[in-house]
Amino acid sequence: MSRFIISGTDTGVGKTVVSAMLVAGLGASYWKPIQAGTDGGTDATRVAEMAGVAGEKIVSEAYCLSHPASPHFSAETDGVSIDLERLEVPDVSGPLIVEGAGGLMVPITRSTLQIEVFAGWDLPVILCARTSLGTINHTLMSLAVLHDWELPIHGIIFVGEENRDSQRTIVEMGGVRALGRMPQLDVLDRENLRAAFDANFQPEDFA
Ligand SMILES: Nc1ncnc2c1ncn2[C@@H]1O[C@H](COP(=O)(O)OP(=O)(O)OP(=O)(O)O)[C@@H](O)[C@H]1O
Ligand SMILES: [Mg+2]
C-alpha cells in the first residue's frame, strides 16, 4: 500500500503543497499528526482546499496546537502534554500521505525528536527539498540523519525552479533518487496540482 511520510529539509519548504499534489494526483488521504499554529488555517484545511477533496480524505490531527512554534514548545504554551502513543498512523483504505512538522530533528516533546516517531512507523520517507541556494547542505544533512536512523528513503521531491547542478549533486552525493520537481505555481488549485503531477512525476514511482 502506498503510504508515505512527507518530510522536508526545513519548515516552509513546500511539504503541504507537495502533499496536496500527491493527494490530488494519487487520490490519497492526508494526515498531519501534529499541527502547530492555527492562525490562517491548518495544513489539513489547506490540503483539502488546494486538492479539492472532501473531508473524508482528511484524517483529523492527533494534536492541533494554536501556537506557531516547534511542537514541543507549542504544546507547552497551549498547556498540552503530547502522548506519543496517540501518534498512531491511521488505518485508511488506499494511499496515505502523512505530513510531518517542520524538519526531521524537530522536537515533539522535550525528550523525543520527530525522527524517532517516524522510525516507529516504518513508512518510507519522501524528503522535500528546495532547489534554491543552500539546498545541497540541508538536503545532504537530512539524508545523513535518515541513514543514521535507518529510515527507508523513498526519494526526493524538489520544490522550485530548476537548478540542474544542485539537483544532480544531491542525487549523486546523497545516493538517492529524485521523484520529480514541483515547479512554482501561480495558482494552487486542484487543476494545476494535477497538471504539475502529470507533467513532472510518474504515478508508478508511488505504487
Ligand atoms: N510549488 C509551489 N508553488 C507556489 N507556492 C508554493 C509552492 N510550494 C510552496 N509554496 C508556498 O510556500 C509557502 C510554504 O509552503 P508549505 O506551506 O507547503 O510549506 P511546509 O513545508 O508545509 O511548511 P510547514 O513546515 O509550516 O508545514 C506557502 O505559502 C506555499 O503556498
Ligand atoms: Mg506544511
Side-chain angles (χ1 to χ4, degrees), residues 10-17 32 43 46 99-102 159 182-185 188:
D10 200 354
T11 187
V13 79
K15 297 183 300 293
T16 302
V17 173
K32 176 96 178 180
D43 282 2
R46 288 175 59 222
E99 182 187 342
V159 182
M182 174 74 180
Q184 197 67 21
L185 300 178
L188 292 162

Side-chain angles (χ1 to χ4, degrees), residues 7-199:
S7 190
T9 54
D10 200 354
T11 187
V13 79
K15 297 183 300 293
T16 302
V17 173
V18 165
S19 296
M21 177 189 70
L22 294 176
V23 166
L26 301 172
S29 297
Y30 172 86
W31 184 47
K32 176 96 178 180
I34 303 175
Q35 173 71 40
T38 48
D39 270 3
T42 63
D43 282 2
T45 54
R46 288 175 59 222
V47 166
E49 273 172 33
M50 287 189 279
V53 293
E56 76 265 8
K57 287 280 184 201
I58 308 291
V59 182
S60 297
E61 298 91 345
Y63 291 95
C64 197
L65 307 164
S66 63
H67 191 62
S70 172
H72 78 288
F73 187 59
S74 185
E76 286 178 6
T77 307
D78 277 15
V80 170
S81 166
I82 291 190
D83 175 3
L84 300 174
E85 308 249 312
R86 267 180 65 185
L87 302 178
E88 217 176 273
V89 180
D91 189 15
V92 298
S93 62
L96 175 67
I97 297 299
V98 180
E99 182 187 342
L104 294 162
M105 300 288 274
V106 160
I108 299 300
T109 68
R110 292 257 164 211
S111 56
T112 306
L113 297 172
Q114 176 158 247
I115 194 160
E116 297 182 56
V117 176
F118 288 170
W121 288 344
D122 199 28
L123 296 182
V125 176
I126 293 174
L127 186 69
C128 297
R130 292 179 290 113
T131 53
S132 52
L133 190 63
T135 192
I136 296 176
N137 177 55
H138 282 114
T139 309
L140 294 182
M141 285 198 301
S142 296
L143 291 170
V145 171
L146 287 168
H147 284 302
D148 279 355
W149 282 84
E150 298 181 354
L151 263 79
I153 302 169
H154 193 70
I156 302 270
I157 291 183
F158 290 108
V159 182
E161 299 311 318
E162 182 172 62
N163 183 337
R164 273 192 206 173
D165 187 72
S166 291
Q167 293 169 225
R168 172 186 165 186
T169 305
I170 287 166
V171 166
E172 288 178 1
M173 299 194 79
V176 69
R177 72 172 162 170
L179 297 162
R181 179 177 61 85
M182 174 74 180
Q184 197 67 21
L185 300 178
D186 289 335
V187 178
L188 292 162
D189 63 10
R190 181 175 177 85
E191 193 185 343
N192 285 345
L193 290 170
R194 286 286 300 258
F197 182 76
D198 291 345

